[in-house]
PDB file of all heavy atoms in Angstrom:
ATOM      1  N   GLU A   1    -109.271  46.671  -8.971  1.00 92.00           N
ATOM      2  CA  GLU A   1    -108.441  45.862  -8.068  1.00 92.00           C
ATOM      3  C   GLU A   1    -109.247  44.667  -7.587  1.00 92.00           C
ATOM      4  O   GLU A   1    -110.414  44.797  -7.225  1.00 92.00           O
ATOM      5  CB  GLU A   1    -107.997  46.693  -6.853  1.00 92.00           C
ATOM      6  CG  GLU A   1    -107.189  47.936  -7.184  1.00 92.00           C
ATOM      7  CD  GLU A   1    -108.021  49.180  -7.124  1.00 92.00           C
ATOM      8  OE1 GLU A   1    -109.202  49.105  -6.727  1.00 92.00           O
ATOM      9  OE2 GLU A   1    -107.491  50.253  -7.480  1.00 92.00           O
ATOM     10  N   GLN A   2    -108.607  43.498  -7.604  1.00 93.00           N
ATOM     11  CA  GLN A   2    -109.226  42.268  -7.131  1.00 93.00           C
ATOM     12  C   GLN A   2    -108.362  41.703  -6.005  1.00 93.00           C
ATOM     13  O   GLN A   2    -107.166  41.451  -6.201  1.00 93.00           O
ATOM     14  CB  GLN A   2    -109.360  41.255  -8.267  1.00 93.00           C
ATOM     15  CG  GLN A   2    -110.324  41.703  -9.363  1.00 93.00           C
ATOM     16  CD  GLN A   2    -110.252  40.796 -10.571  1.00 93.00           C
ATOM     17  OE1 GLN A   2    -109.355  40.907 -11.399  1.00 93.00           O
ATOM     18  NE2 GLN A   2    -111.214  39.874 -10.649  1.00 93.00           N
ATOM     19  N   TYR A   3    -108.978  41.514  -4.839  1.00 95.00           N
ATOM     20  CA  TYR A   3    -108.273  41.023  -3.655  1.00 95.00           C
ATOM     21  C   TYR A   3    -108.746  39.581  -3.376  1.00 95.00           C
ATOM     22  O   TYR A   3    -109.942  39.329  -3.212  1.00 95.00           O
ATOM     23  CB  TYR A   3    -108.588  41.896  -2.451  1.00 95.00           C
ATOM     24  CG  TYR A   3    -108.121  43.326  -2.606  1.00 95.00           C
ATOM     25  CD1 TYR A   3    -108.933  44.281  -3.222  1.00 95.00           C
ATOM     26  CD2 TYR A   3    -106.874  43.744  -2.147  1.00 95.00           C
ATOM     27  CE1 TYR A   3    -108.519  45.593  -3.383  1.00 95.00           C
ATOM     28  CE2 TYR A   3    -106.441  45.050  -2.294  1.00 95.00           C
ATOM     29  CZ  TYR A   3    -107.269  45.963  -2.904  1.00 95.00           C
ATOM     30  OH  TYR A   3    -106.850  47.268  -3.054  1.00 95.00           O
ATOM     31  N   TYR A   4    -107.795  38.652  -3.359  1.00 96.00           N
ATOM     32  CA  TYR A   4    -108.113  37.240  -3.131  1.00 96.00           C
ATOM     33  C   TYR A   4    -107.810  36.882  -1.671  1.00 96.00           C
ATOM     34  O   TYR A   4    -106.696  37.133  -1.171  1.00 96.00           O
ATOM     35  CB  TYR A   4    -107.291  36.351  -4.065  1.00 96.00           C
ATOM     36  CG  TYR A   4    -107.710  36.461  -5.522  1.00 96.00           C
ATOM     37  CD1 TYR A   4    -107.183  37.454  -6.351  1.00 96.00           C
ATOM     38  CD2 TYR A   4    -108.659  35.591  -6.052  1.00 96.00           C
ATOM     39  CE1 TYR A   4    -107.575  37.562  -7.671  1.00 96.00           C
ATOM     40  CE2 TYR A   4    -109.062  35.689  -7.380  1.00 96.00           C
ATOM     41  CZ  TYR A   4    -108.511  36.679  -8.193  1.00 96.00           C
ATOM     42  OH  TYR A   4    -108.913  36.777  -9.500  1.00 96.00           O
ATOM     43  N   VAL A   5    -108.791  36.289  -1.037  1.00 96.00           N
ATOM     44  CA  VAL A   5    -108.674  35.924   0.382  1.00 96.00           C
ATOM     45  C   VAL A   5    -108.910  34.412   0.509  1.00 96.00           C
ATOM     46  O   VAL A   5    -109.943  33.891   0.062  1.00 96.00           O
ATOM     47  CB  VAL A   5    -109.707  36.677   1.244  1.00 96.00           C
ATOM     48  CG1 VAL A   5    -109.573  36.273   2.711  1.00 96.00           C
ATOM     49  CG2 VAL A   5    -109.545  38.181   1.078  1.00 96.00           C
ATOM     50  N   LYS A   6    -107.953  33.723   1.142  1.00 96.00           N
ATOM     51  CA  LYS A   6    -108.117  32.287   1.363  1.00 96.00           C
ATOM     52  C   LYS A   6    -109.084  32.050   2.522  1.00 96.00           C
ATOM     53  O   LYS A   6    -109.043  32.739   3.548  1.00 96.00           O
ATOM     54  CB  LYS A   6    -106.771  31.638   1.664  1.00 96.00           C
ATOM     55  CG  LYS A   6    -106.853  30.101   1.693  1.00 96.00           C
ATOM     56  CD  LYS A   6    -105.475  29.473   1.852  1.00 96.00           C
ATOM     57  CE  LYS A   6    -105.590  27.959   1.779  1.00 96.00           C
ATOM     58  NZ  LYS A   6    -104.284  27.287   1.922  1.00 96.00           N
ATOM     59  N   LEU A   7    -109.979  31.044   2.337  1.00 95.00           N
ATOM     60  CA  LEU A   7    -110.987  30.720   3.346  1.00 95.00           C
ATOM     61  C   LEU A   7    -110.589  29.476   4.141  1.00 95.00           C
ATOM     62  O   LEU A   7    -109.790  28.655   3.661  1.00 95.00           O
ATOM     63  CB  LEU A   7    -112.333  30.492   2.668  1.00 95.00           C
ATOM     64  CG  LEU A   7    -112.881  31.665   1.841  1.00 95.00           C
ATOM     65  CD1 LEU A   7    -114.205  31.286   1.189  1.00 95.00           C
ATOM     66  CD2 LEU A   7    -113.036  32.905   2.702  1.00 95.00           C
ATOM     67  N   PRO A   8    -111.162  29.310   5.330  1.00 93.00           N
ATOM     68  CA  PRO A   8    -110.851  28.110   6.132  1.00 93.00           C
ATOM     69  C   PRO A   8    -111.263  26.825   5.439  1.00 93.00           C
ATOM     70  O   PRO A   8    -110.598  25.794   5.588  1.00 93.00           O
ATOM     71  CB  PRO A   8    -111.643  28.342   7.426  1.00 93.00           C
ATOM     72  CG  PRO A   8    -111.836  29.810   7.489  1.00 93.00           C
ATOM     73  CD  PRO A   8    -111.977  30.291   6.092  1.00 93.00           C
ATOM     74  N   LEU A   9    -112.330  26.887   4.649  1.00 92.00           N
ATOM     75  CA  LEU A   9    -112.777  25.700   3.935  1.00 92.00           C
ATOM     76  C   LEU A   9    -111.746  25.322   2.874  1.00 92.00           C
ATOM     77  O   LEU A   9    -111.245  26.182   2.144  1.00 92.00           O
ATOM     78  CB  LEU A   9    -114.142  25.955   3.284  1.00 92.00           C
ATOM     79  CG  LEU A   9    -114.848  24.753   2.653  1.00 92.00           C
ATOM     80  CD1 LEU A   9    -115.194  23.725   3.720  1.00 92.00           C
ATOM     81  CD2 LEU A   9    -116.106  25.217   1.926  1.00 92.00           C
ATOM     82  N   ALA A  10    -111.408  24.017   2.814  1.00 91.00           N
ATOM     83  CA  ALA A  10    -110.347  23.568   1.902  1.00 91.00           C
ATOM     84  C   ALA A  10    -110.631  23.976   0.463  1.00 91.00           C
ATOM     85  O   ALA A  10    -111.768  23.884  -0.016  1.00 91.00           O
ATOM     86  CB  ALA A  10    -110.218  22.035   1.994  1.00 91.00           C
ATOM     87  N   ASN A  11    -109.574  24.426  -0.218  1.00 93.00           N
ATOM     88  CA  ASN A  11    -109.624  24.777  -1.649  1.00 93.00           C
ATOM     89  C   ASN A  11    -110.653  25.868  -1.946  1.00 93.00           C
ATOM     90  O   ASN A  11    -111.243  25.882  -3.028  1.00 93.00           O
ATOM     91  CB  ASN A  11    -109.914  23.539  -2.503  1.00 93.00           C
ATOM     92  CG  ASN A  11    -108.828  22.490  -2.396  1.00 93.00           C
ATOM     93  OD1 ASN A  11    -107.647  22.825  -2.289  1.00 93.00           O
ATOM     94  ND2 ASN A  11    -109.220  21.220  -2.404  1.00 93.00           N
ATOM     95  N   SER A  12    -110.882  26.761  -1.025  1.00 96.00           N
ATOM     96  CA  SER A  12    -111.886  27.808  -1.233  1.00 96.00           C
ATOM     97  C   SER A  12    -111.255  29.194  -1.037  1.00 96.00           C
ATOM     98  O   SER A  12    -110.445  29.387  -0.124  1.00 96.00           O
ATOM     99  CB  SER A  12    -113.057  27.626  -0.248  1.00 96.00           C
ATOM    100  OG  SER A  12    -113.724  26.414  -0.502  1.00 96.00           O
ATOM    101  N   TRP A  13    -111.685  30.121  -1.897  1.00 96.00           N
ATOM    102  CA  TRP A  13    -111.195  31.499  -1.842  1.00 96.00           C
ATOM    103  C   TRP A  13    -112.371  32.451  -2.098  1.00 96.00           C
ATOM    104  O   TRP A  13    -113.374  32.078  -2.708  1.00 96.00           O
ATOM    105  CB  TRP A  13    -110.128  31.731  -2.922  1.00 96.00           C
ATOM    106  CG  TRP A  13    -108.854  30.971  -2.741  1.00 96.00           C
ATOM    107  CD1 TRP A  13    -108.664  29.622  -2.907  1.00 96.00           C
ATOM    108  CD2 TRP A  13    -107.586  31.495  -2.364  1.00 96.00           C
ATOM    109  NE1 TRP A  13    -107.371  29.275  -2.670  1.00 96.00           N
ATOM    110  CE2 TRP A  13    -106.663  30.411  -2.322  1.00 96.00           C
ATOM    111  CE3 TRP A  13    -107.117  32.772  -2.040  1.00 96.00           C
ATOM    112  CZ2 TRP A  13    -105.320  30.567  -1.993  1.00 96.00           C
ATOM    113  CZ3 TRP A  13    -105.776  32.937  -1.721  1.00 96.00           C
ATOM    114  CH2 TRP A  13    -104.897  31.841  -1.690  1.00 96.00           C
ATOM    115  N   THR A  14    -112.194  33.672  -1.631  1.00 95.00           N
ATOM    116  CA  THR A  14    -113.123  34.754  -1.965  1.00 95.00           C
ATOM    117  C   THR A  14    -112.349  35.858  -2.681  1.00 95.00           C
ATOM    118  O   THR A  14    -111.207  36.164  -2.315  1.00 95.00           O
ATOM    119  CB  THR A  14    -113.796  35.335  -0.699  1.00 95.00           C
ATOM    120  OG1 THR A  14    -114.693  34.365  -0.158  1.00 95.00           O
ATOM    121  CG2 THR A  14    -114.579  36.605  -1.006  1.00 95.00           C
ATOM    122  N   VAL A  15    -112.978  36.438  -3.691  1.00 94.00           N
ATOM    123  CA  VAL A  15    -112.371  37.557  -4.392  1.00 94.00           C
ATOM    124  C   VAL A  15    -113.262  38.783  -4.197  1.00 94.00           C
ATOM    125  O   VAL A  15    -114.485  38.720  -4.368  1.00 94.00           O
ATOM    126  CB  VAL A  15    -112.161  37.265  -5.894  1.00 94.00           C
ATOM    127  CG1 VAL A  15    -113.453  36.889  -6.587  1.00 94.00           C
ATOM    128  CG2 VAL A  15    -111.495  38.459  -6.583  1.00 94.00           C
ATOM    129  N   HIS A  16    -112.665  39.892  -3.791  1.00 93.00           N
ATOM    130  CA  HIS A  16    -113.355  41.178  -3.619  1.00 93.00           C
ATOM    131  C   HIS A  16    -112.896  42.096  -4.757  1.00 93.00           C
ATOM    132  O   HIS A  16    -111.706  42.303  -4.960  1.00 93.00           O
ATOM    133  CB  HIS A  16    -112.992  41.825  -2.281  1.00 93.00           C
ATOM    134  CG  HIS A  16    -113.328  40.964  -1.089  1.00 93.00           C
ATOM    135  ND1 HIS A  16    -114.482  41.130  -0.372  1.00 93.00           N
ATOM    136  CD2 HIS A  16    -112.645  39.936  -0.513  1.00 93.00           C
ATOM    137  CE1 HIS A  16    -114.509  40.251   0.625  1.00 93.00           C
ATOM    138  NE2 HIS A  16    -113.402  39.506   0.556  1.00 93.00           N
ATOM    139  N   THR A  17    -113.849  42.670  -5.492  1.00 91.00           N
ATOM    140  CA  THR A  17    -113.531  43.496  -6.665  1.00 91.00           C
ATOM    141  C   THR A  17    -113.916  44.954  -6.406  1.00 91.00           C
ATOM    142  O   THR A  17    -115.043  45.233  -5.988  1.00 91.00           O
ATOM    143  CB  THR A  17    -114.280  42.974  -7.915  1.00 91.00           C
ATOM    144  OG1 THR A  17    -113.869  41.623  -8.163  1.00 91.00           O
ATOM    145  CG2 THR A  17    -113.954  43.820  -9.135  1.00 91.00           C
ATOM    146  N   PHE A  18    -112.969  45.853  -6.670  1.00 89.00           N
ATOM    147  CA  PHE A  18    -113.167  47.301  -6.523  1.00 89.00           C
ATOM    148  C   PHE A  18    -112.766  47.985  -7.841  1.00 89.00           C
ATOM    149  O   PHE A  18    -111.947  47.471  -8.595  1.00 89.00           O
ATOM    150  CB  PHE A  18    -112.302  47.869  -5.386  1.00 89.00           C
ATOM    151  CG  PHE A  18    -112.638  47.321  -4.030  1.00 89.00           C
ATOM    152  CD1 PHE A  18    -112.133  46.097  -3.609  1.00 89.00           C
ATOM    153  CD2 PHE A  18    -113.455  48.039  -3.175  1.00 89.00           C
ATOM    154  CE1 PHE A  18    -112.431  45.608  -2.345  1.00 89.00           C
ATOM    155  CE2 PHE A  18    -113.756  47.546  -1.911  1.00 89.00           C
ATOM    156  CZ  PHE A  18    -113.248  46.321  -1.499  1.00 89.00           C
ATOM    157  N   ILE A  19    -113.335  49.139  -8.069  1.00 86.00           N
ATOM    158  CA  ILE A  19    -112.907  49.980  -9.178  1.00 86.00           C
ATOM    159  C   ILE A  19    -112.671  51.384  -8.633  1.00 86.00           C
ATOM    160  O   ILE A  19    -113.566  51.971  -7.990  1.00 86.00           O
ATOM    161  CB  ILE A  19    -113.936  50.010 -10.322  1.00 86.00           C
ATOM    162  CG1 ILE A  19    -114.035  48.610 -10.956  1.00 86.00           C
ATOM    163  CG2 ILE A  19    -113.534  51.040 -11.380  1.00 86.00           C
ATOM    164  CD1 ILE A  19    -114.981  48.528 -12.133  1.00 86.00           C
ATOM    165  N   ASP A  20    -111.483  51.896  -8.879  1.00 83.00           N
ATOM    166  CA  ASP A  20    -111.060  53.190  -8.336  1.00 83.00           C
ATOM    167  C   ASP A  20    -111.192  53.191  -6.808  1.00 83.00           C
ATOM    168  O   ASP A  20    -111.486  54.228  -6.195  1.00 83.00           O
ATOM    169  CB  ASP A  20    -111.880  54.340  -8.932  1.00 83.00           C
ATOM    170  CG  ASP A  20    -111.601  54.534 -10.410  1.00 83.00           C
ATOM    171  OD1 ASP A  20    -110.501  54.132 -10.847  1.00 83.00           O
ATOM    172  OD2 ASP A  20    -112.478  55.076 -11.120  1.00 83.00           O
ATOM    173  N   GLY A  21    -110.976  52.028  -6.183  1.00 83.00           N
ATOM    174  CA  GLY A  21    -111.021  51.946  -4.734  1.00 83.00           C
ATOM    175  C   GLY A  21    -112.409  51.968  -4.144  1.00 83.00           C
ATOM    176  O   GLY A  21    -112.563  52.042  -2.917  1.00 83.00           O
ATOM    177  N   ARG A  22    -113.441  51.905  -5.002  1.00 81.00           N
ATOM    178  CA  ARG A  22    -114.814  51.959  -4.531  1.00 81.00           C
ATOM    179  C   ARG A  22    -115.576  50.748  -5.062  1.00 81.00           C
ATOM    180  O   ARG A  22    -115.111  50.004  -5.908  1.00 81.00           O
ATOM    181  CB  ARG A  22    -115.506  53.258  -4.995  1.00 81.00           C
ATOM    182  CG  ARG A  22    -114.704  54.520  -4.740  1.00 81.00           C
ATOM    183  CD  ARG A  22    -114.437  54.759  -3.295  1.00 81.00           C
ATOM    184  NE  ARG A  22    -115.668  55.051  -2.557  1.00 81.00           N
ATOM    185  CZ  ARG A  22    -115.727  55.293  -1.258  1.00 81.00           C
ATOM    186  NH1 ARG A  22    -114.616  55.299  -0.541  1.00 81.00           N
ATOM    187  NH2 ARG A  22    -116.874  55.548  -0.654  1.00 81.00           N
ATOM    188  N   SER A  23    -116.795  50.607  -4.563  1.00 79.00           N
ATOM    189  CA  SER A  23    -117.647  49.523  -5.041  1.00 79.00           C
ATOM    190  C   SER A  23    -118.062  49.794  -6.489  1.00 79.00           C
ATOM    191  O   SER A  23    -118.515  50.901  -6.805  1.00 79.00           O
ATOM    192  CB  SER A  23    -118.909  49.415  -4.175  1.00 79.00           C
ATOM    193  OG  SER A  23    -119.861  48.566  -4.796  1.00 79.00           O
ATOM    194  N   PRO A  24    -117.921  48.825  -7.395  1.00 78.00           N
ATOM    195  CA  PRO A  24    -118.356  49.047  -8.784  1.00 78.00           C
ATOM    196  C   PRO A  24    -119.845  49.355  -8.889  1.00 78.00           C
ATOM    197  O   PRO A  24    -120.274  50.039  -9.812  1.00 78.00           O
ATOM    198  CB  PRO A  24    -118.014  47.728  -9.467  1.00 78.00           C
ATOM    199  CG  PRO A  24    -116.965  47.101  -8.621  1.00 78.00           C
ATOM    200  CD  PRO A  24    -117.293  47.513  -7.226  1.00 78.00           C
ATOM    201  N   ALA A  25    -120.627  48.832  -7.943  1.00 72.00           N
ATOM    202  CA  ALA A  25    -122.064  49.060  -8.007  1.00 72.00           C
ATOM    203  C   ALA A  25    -122.471  50.427  -7.491  1.00 72.00           C
ATOM    204  O   ALA A  25    -123.427  51.034  -7.969  1.00 72.00           O
ATOM    205  CB  ALA A  25    -122.809  47.974  -7.209  1.00 72.00           C
ATOM    206  N   ASP A  26    -121.731  50.966  -6.497  1.00 70.00           N
ATOM    207  CA  ASP A  26    -122.107  52.241  -5.903  1.00 70.00           C
ATOM    208  C   ASP A  26    -120.877  52.932  -5.331  1.00 70.00           C
ATOM    209  O   ASP A  26    -120.483  52.716  -4.192  1.00 70.00           O
ATOM    210  CB  ASP A  26    -123.136  52.011  -4.779  1.00 70.00           C
ATOM    211  CG  ASP A  26    -123.684  53.333  -4.262  1.00 70.00           C
ATOM    212  OD1 ASP A  26    -123.264  54.400  -4.762  1.00 70.00           O
ATOM    213  OD2 ASP A  26    -124.530  53.282  -3.352  1.00 70.00           O
ATOM    214  N   PRO A  27    -120.224  53.770  -6.137  1.00 67.00           N
ATOM    215  CA  PRO A  27    -119.004  54.427  -5.674  1.00 67.00           C
ATOM    216  C   PRO A  27    -119.230  55.422  -4.557  1.00 67.00           C
ATOM    217  O   PRO A  27    -118.281  55.873  -3.913  1.00 67.00           O
ATOM    218  CB  PRO A  27    -118.480  55.129  -6.924  1.00 67.00           C
ATOM    219  CG  PRO A  27    -119.695  55.341  -7.763  1.00 67.00           C
ATOM    220  CD  PRO A  27    -120.585  54.178  -7.510  1.00 67.00           C
ATOM    221  N   VAL A  28    -120.487  55.785  -4.266  1.00 67.00           N
ATOM    222  CA  VAL A  28    -120.763  56.746  -3.214  1.00 67.00           C
ATOM    223  C   VAL A  28    -120.761  56.061  -1.849  1.00 67.00           C
ATOM    224  O   VAL A  28    -120.592  56.703  -0.818  1.00 67.00           O
ATOM    225  CB  VAL A  28    -122.119  57.444  -3.467  1.00 67.00           C
ATOM    226  CG1 VAL A  28    -122.418  58.493  -2.395  1.00 67.00           C
ATOM    227  CG2 VAL A  28    -122.122  58.084  -4.842  1.00 67.00           C
ATOM    228  N   GLN A  29    -120.933  54.761  -1.843  1.00 68.00           N
ATOM    229  CA  GLN A  29    -121.092  54.035  -0.608  1.00 68.00           C
ATOM    230  C   GLN A  29    -119.909  54.246   0.345  1.00 68.00           C
ATOM    231  O   GLN A  29    -118.757  54.195  -0.052  1.00 68.00           O
ATOM    232  CB  GLN A  29    -121.238  52.530  -0.929  1.00 68.00           C
ATOM    233  CG  GLN A  29    -121.614  51.680   0.280  1.00 68.00           C
ATOM    234  CD  GLN A  29    -121.807  50.223  -0.150  1.00 68.00           C
ATOM    235  OE1 GLN A  29    -121.267  49.795  -1.137  1.00 68.00           O
ATOM    236  NE2 GLN A  29    -122.589  49.477   0.639  1.00 68.00           N
ATOM    237  N   GLN A  30    -120.211  54.499   1.593  1.00 65.00           N
ATOM    238  CA  GLN A  30    -119.201  54.702   2.638  1.00 65.00           C
ATOM    239  C   GLN A  30    -119.454  53.726   3.795  1.00 65.00           C
ATOM    240  O   GLN A  30    -120.584  53.641   4.296  1.00 65.00           O
ATOM    241  CB  GLN A  30    -119.263  56.132   3.175  1.00 65.00           C
ATOM    242  CG  GLN A  30    -118.958  57.201   2.147  1.00 65.00           C
ATOM    243  CD  GLN A  30    -117.475  57.336   1.864  1.00 65.00           C
ATOM    244  OE1 GLN A  30    -116.648  56.745   2.570  1.00 65.00           O
ATOM    245  NE2 GLN A  30    -117.133  58.105   0.856  1.00 65.00           N
ATOM    246  N   PRO A  31    -118.487  52.963   4.257  1.00 68.00           N
ATOM    247  CA  PRO A  31    -117.174  52.795   3.642  1.00 68.00           C
ATOM    248  C   PRO A  31    -117.274  51.916   2.404  1.00 68.00           C
ATOM    249  O   PRO A  31    -118.295  51.264   2.197  1.00 68.00           O
ATOM    250  CB  PRO A  31    -116.372  52.088   4.753  1.00 68.00           C
ATOM    251  CG  PRO A  31    -117.406  51.285   5.469  1.00 68.00           C
ATOM    252  CD  PRO A  31    -118.663  52.150   5.480  1.00 68.00           C
ATOM    253  N   PRO A  32    -116.255  51.880   1.567  1.00 72.00           N
ATOM    254  CA  PRO A  32    -116.352  51.093   0.339  1.00 72.00           C
ATOM    255  C   PRO A  32    -116.473  49.596   0.610  1.00 72.00           C
ATOM    256  O   PRO A  32    -115.756  49.056   1.440  1.00 72.00           O
ATOM    257  CB  PRO A  32    -115.057  51.418  -0.400  1.00 72.00           C
ATOM    258  CG  PRO A  32    -114.113  51.821   0.682  1.00 72.00           C
ATOM    259  CD  PRO A  32    -114.946  52.533   1.699  1.00 72.00           C
ATOM    260  N   VAL A  33    -117.399  48.992  -0.080  1.00 74.00           N
ATOM    261  CA  VAL A  33    -117.575  47.542   0.007  1.00 74.00           C
ATOM    262  C   VAL A  33    -117.529  46.982  -1.407  1.00 74.00           C
ATOM    263  O   VAL A  33    -118.363  47.349  -2.247  1.00 74.00           O
ATOM    264  CB  VAL A  33    -118.915  47.172   0.682  1.00 74.00           C
ATOM    265  CG1 VAL A  33    -119.090  45.655   0.703  1.00 74.00           C
ATOM    266  CG2 VAL A  33    -118.957  47.724   2.090  1.00 74.00           C
ATOM    267  N   GLY A  34    -116.581  46.145  -1.699  1.00 81.00           N
ATOM    268  CA  GLY A  34    -116.450  45.596  -3.039  1.00 81.00           C
ATOM    269  C   GLY A  34    -117.440  44.491  -3.310  1.00 81.00           C
ATOM    270  O   GLY A  34    -118.149  44.002  -2.424  1.00 81.00           O
ATOM    271  N   LEU A  35    -117.504  44.078  -4.584  1.00 87.00           N
ATOM    272  CA  LEU A  35    -118.341  42.961  -4.975  1.00 87.00           C
ATOM    273  C   LEU A  35    -117.598  41.656  -4.681  1.00 87.00           C
ATOM    274  O   LEU A  35    -116.408  41.544  -4.960  1.00 87.00           O
ATOM    275  CB  LEU A  35    -118.691  43.047  -6.458  1.00 87.00           C
ATOM    276  CG  LEU A  35    -119.470  44.279  -6.898  1.00 87.00           C
ATOM    277  CD1 LEU A  35    -119.827  44.166  -8.368  1.00 87.00           C
ATOM    278  CD2 LEU A  35    -120.714  44.472  -6.073  1.00 87.00           C
ATOM    279  N   LYS A  36    -118.338  40.689  -4.124  1.00 91.00           N
ATOM    280  CA  LYS A  36    -117.706  39.440  -3.715  1.00 91.00           C
ATOM    281  C   LYS A  36    -118.114  38.303  -4.648  1.00 91.00           C
ATOM    282  O   LYS A  36    -119.187  38.305  -5.232  1.00 91.00           O
ATOM    283  CB  LYS A  36    -118.123  39.081  -2.280  1.00 91.00           C
ATOM    284  CG  LYS A  36    -117.609  40.032  -1.219  1.00 91.00           C
ATOM    285  CD  LYS A  36    -118.181  39.682   0.140  1.00 91.00           C
ATOM    286  CE  LYS A  36    -117.795  38.272   0.549  1.00 91.00           C
ATOM    287  NZ  LYS A  36    -118.297  37.929   1.911  1.00 91.00           N
ATOM    288  N   ALA A  37    -117.183  37.328  -4.755  1.00 93.00           N
ATOM    289  CA  ALA A  37    -117.466  36.074  -5.439  1.00 93.00           C
ATOM    290  C   ALA A  37    -116.625  34.994  -4.789  1.00 93.00           C
ATOM    291  O   ALA A  37    -115.507  35.276  -4.326  1.00 93.00           O
ATOM    292  CB  ALA A  37    -117.166  36.176  -6.936  1.00 93.00           C
TER     293      ALA A  37
END
């Protein structure tokens, strides 16, 4: 799942990426924190 969030800065967005609802890097992590770009 990829969640796109619009930022206050013009023409800027952040995307948060999850796999199976967890962080792709560490599914054990609590609470889940996705990878950002």
